[in-house]
Amino acid sequence: MRYQKPKGTMDILPGESRKWQYVESIAQDTFNKYRFSEIRTPIFESYDVFERSSGDTSDIVSKEMYDFHDKGDRHIALRPEGTAGVVRAYVENKLYGPENIKPYKVWYKGPMFRYERPQSGRQRQFHQIGLEAFGSDSPELDAEIISVGLEFLNRLGIKNLKVAINTLGDPESRANYHQALVDYFTPFKDELSDDSKVRLEKNPLRILDSKDKGDKKIVANAPSILDYLNDPSQKRFDYLKDLLDDLDINYEVDSTMVRGLDYYNHTIFEFMVTDPAFDNKEITVLAGGRYNGLVEELGGPETPGIGFGLGVERLMMLLKDEDLPSESDLDVYLVTIGEKAERASVKILSDLRRAGFSADKDYLQRKIKAQFKTANNLNAKYTVTIGDSELENSTANVKNMATGEQVSVSLTNLADELKKIEG
RNA sequence: GCGGUAUUGGUGAAGUGGUUAACACAUCGGUUUGUGGUACCGACACACGUGGGUUCGAUUCCCACAUACCGCCCCA
């Protein structure tokens, strides 16, 4: 094996691409219903776009970014996530302009890149489907975003979904909470893991997310964000919960949930699933939240935003074959006998396809028996056999492969005759 | 970035320091020459991830590298 694909990448072969197309079509259909339009942004952006948006304390920026200098010495990065590029496009194209109805709603799909150690469900080139809505701070929009994500996964037949929500509050609440965490953790500083010591300086919220056993014990008694929300933030969160109740959405409040990216505030959420494909461990398939400061951060006007992203590879692992539409069968396999038929087959095939049939033939000059065998393997509905005698009489033998019945029909009207047989 | 396990044909795999690397599936061909799904017969590894080393000799032992999977970290 001379050449191998780069570490952490995948070839999506024809059998698999069918599933991808299916998922993408459901995404498009569901999102369009909620009036999200597709946006396509570059796969690479100026490095600063991600550094600025994700925050330089995030692991994604500090150690997982695929960045390089191009021939013009521009500092470029392959996108590690979708939101930053979409926000950049929103600002650059002045989509905040008054001619656009707010909220401005877009969805995207495509490859993302993170320099990480690959594992199952985690690739260096992976794919996300996500959506964003700009220009409204309404909790009703928050509820809609959660709802559209849920509908999408439900339509794909994903079971055992758990919706976890939390709030990070407005900047004031978040700042107060930040201080409370620093006050709480500082006495334990020596007991914290090395990672968390660094987090204490840079982003104490993320200590809450630590998997370290020692950290977890300390975190267990840490103050909760819910006790530091100011009045508007509290009301907002309560209202969102009411809305989710109205929608009959089952959710759990997880006050220790934080996000890997620094730009979130107010509502954040994750959809978790427990599935044998992941050893019955709970994994996150979809995650998102509100980022009211991000548009401004990237040079736009003060504009609230909210969105989510979901990992397509993980989603694929959850899809059951029975949830997928069945593969479409081949309508006609053309069997040729002899050189004249071989030549005539080109035009016949072309006519059949033009008439709307999926049609194929043998291109390896194989024997009749082998051609029928192939027709059988391809699950062809009909075989059409053409030989010298058929050409002389301008007829064709049409065989129904399921019943074995064979009839002779006019070759000149073959497509029409087939349609008649089909009923 | 750290630790562990693995790497044999199109696929699933067995196996050994030494003349021909099991078996199964798939594929191809044949079983009287213009017809499929069954049955029977036959064919099918430049050789055993790459590069070194040990050895009279390595696919089998050692080292390095690559990749995959699992755990940590982090995340979708």
Side-chain angles (χ1 to χ4, degrees):
Chain A
M1 231 177 253
R2 278 298 291 279
Y3 296 106
Q4 299 178 298
K5 57 187 168 297
K7 183 170 181 158
T9 63
M10 285 286 283
D11 295 317
I12 299 168
L13 304 176
E16 193 70 2
S17 65
R18 220 180 91 242
K19 290 169 70 174
W20 284 70
Q21 288 169 352
Y22 173 66
V23 166
E24 287 165 3
S25 71
I26 297 292
Q28 172 162 11
D29 193 65
T30 307
F31 300 162
N32 283 170
K33 208 170 61 176
Y34 283 78
R35 309 298 294 163
F36 287 80
S37 307
E38 187 180 0
I39 185 170
R40 302 190 185 193
T41 64
I43 279 171
F44 58 87
E45 296 271 354
S46 169
Y47 177 87
D48 301 336
V49 169
F50 302 114
E51 189 189 36
R52 190 87 200 171
S53 63
S54 301
D56 46 17
T57 66
S58 73
D59 279 29
I60 290 177
V61 168
S62 58
K63 57 182 202 189
E64 294 173 359
M65 199 110 90
Y66 265 100
D67 68 314
F68 59 97
H69 290 268
D70 71 7
K71 292 185 202 296
D73 203 34
R74 285 170 279 255
H75 195 184
I76 299 294
L78 303 184
R79 40 138 97 143
E81 52 93 31
T83 302
V86 171
V87 173
R88 192 230 80 232
Y90 179 79
V91 173
E92 182 170 350
N93 296 290
K94 300 186 167 58
L95 301 176
Y96 47 76
E99 71 275 27
N100 292 314
I101 293 165
K102 290 176 188 55
Y104 192 83
K105 303 199 279 194
V106 292
W107 72 278
Y108 61 84
K109 61 166 193 239
M112 309 289 163
F113 305 84
R114 289 184 201 172
Y115 192 84
E116 291 187 283
R117 193 72 180 264
Q119 275 173 45
S120 111
R122 185 171 27 173
Q123 238 62 57
R124 286 184 171 182
Q125 174 176 338
F126 63 105
H127 297 76
Q128 285 191 337
I129 292 175
L131 51 77
E132 318 287 350
F134 300 100
S136 164
D137 189 34
S138 167
E140 291 139 28
L141 182 59
D142 297 19
E144 176 174 310
I145 298 283
I146 290 171
S147 162
V148 62
L150 214 48
E151 178 171 338
F152 173 55
L153 294 177
N154 283 155
R155 280 184 67 178
L156 289 172
I158 307 297
K159 302 284 190 312
N160 301 322
L161 270 178
K162 192 178 111 185
V163 178
I165 64 168
N166 191 24
T167 179
L168 299 173
D170 62 11
E172 184 190 277
S173 306
R174 188 169 167 161
N176 288 341
Y177 184 51
H178 182 112
Q179 191 53 50
L181 285 178
V182 172
D183 292 345
Y184 172 77
F185 282 119
T186 300
F188 295 107
K189 189 172 180 188
D190 293 338
E191 299 167 46
L192 288 171
S193 66
D194 290 346
D195 284 334
S196 287
K197 283 185 184 117
V198 176
R199 291 176 185 134
L200 181 55
E201 304 288 329
K202 296 196 165 165
N203 192 348
L205 249 67
R206 300 205 30 242
I207 299 177
L208 300 177
D209 214 19
S210 177
K211 308 290 187 300
D212 183 87
K213 277 181 193 158
D215 287 357
K216 278 188 168 178
K217 275 185 197 161
I218 301 170
V219 165
N221 294 315
S224 161
I225 175 71
L226 301 179
D227 297 326
Y228 287 83
L229 296 175
N230 58 19
D231 206 42
S233 297
Q234 182 65 55
K235 283 206 171 105
R236 193 183 195 290
F237 191 47
D238 290 340
Y239 182 44
L240 173 65
K241 288 191 282 186
D242 289 342
L243 291 172
L244 294 177
D245 289 337
D246 290 349
L247 287 168
D248 288 322
I249 292 174
N250 256 314
Y251 61 87
E252 285 177 22
V253 175
D254 178 357
S255 64
T256 65
M257 182 170 72
V258 296
R259 314 266 46 229
L261 303 172
D262 291 347
Y263 50 62
Y264 288 100
N265 52 24
H266 284 303
T267 310
I268 57 174
F269 54 90
E270 290 188 9
F271 293 1
M272 267 96 81
V273 69
T274 310
D275 191 274
F278 292 95
D279 225 16
N280 285 314
K281 273 179 252 170
E282 192 169 72
I283 62 133
T284 302
V285 284
L286 180 153
R290 187 163 271 289
Y291 45 81
N292 286 350
L294 186 55
V295 173
E296 221 177 340
E297 189 72 33
L298 289 181
E302 190 180 340
T303 306
I306 180 169
F308 67 68
L310 70 92
V312 182
E313 279 80 359
R314 291 185 177 182
L315 185 58
M316 289 297 166
M317 295 172 77
L318 297 171
L319 284 190
K320 310 283 182 281
D321 281 340
E322 61 261 29
D323 294 330
L324 294 169
S326 60
E327 209 164 353
S328 67
D329 283 339
L330 174 63
D331 293 323
V332 179
Y333 192 82
L334 190 56
V335 175
T336 62
I337 305 159
E339 282 178 29
K340 284 181 191 156
E342 189 120 12
R343 172 168 178 179
S345 70
V346 175
K347 174 82 166 86
I348 296 169
L349 256 193
S350 167
D351 289 345
L352 285 173
R353 288 165 176 164
R354 224 172 277 196
F357 292 100
S358 67
D360 214 343
K361 73 183 275 286
D362 168 74
Y363 291 94
L364 301 175
Q365 289 81 46
R366 299 200 304 158
K367 302 219 165 110
I368 304 97
K369 185 164 184 158
Q371 295 187 50
F372 270 90
K373 224 170 174 177
T374 302
N376 198 54
N377 286 347
L378 293 174
N379 232 318
K381 282 189 224 157
Y382 300 99
T383 49
V384 171
T385 311
I386 311 283
D388 289 346
S389 58
E390 282 81 3
L391 286 175
E392 272 172 38
N393 306 325
S394 193
T395 58
N397 277 320
V398 177
K399 183 172 185 177
N400 180 322
M401 291 299 277
T403 65
E405 283 171 47
Q406 185 161 277
V407 293
S408 179
V409 303
S410 156
L411 180 55
T412 39
N413 300 317
L414 180 56
D416 291 336
E417 296 286 348
L418 275 169
K419 280 179 184 163
K420 247 187 262 172
I421 294 171
E422 284 253 88

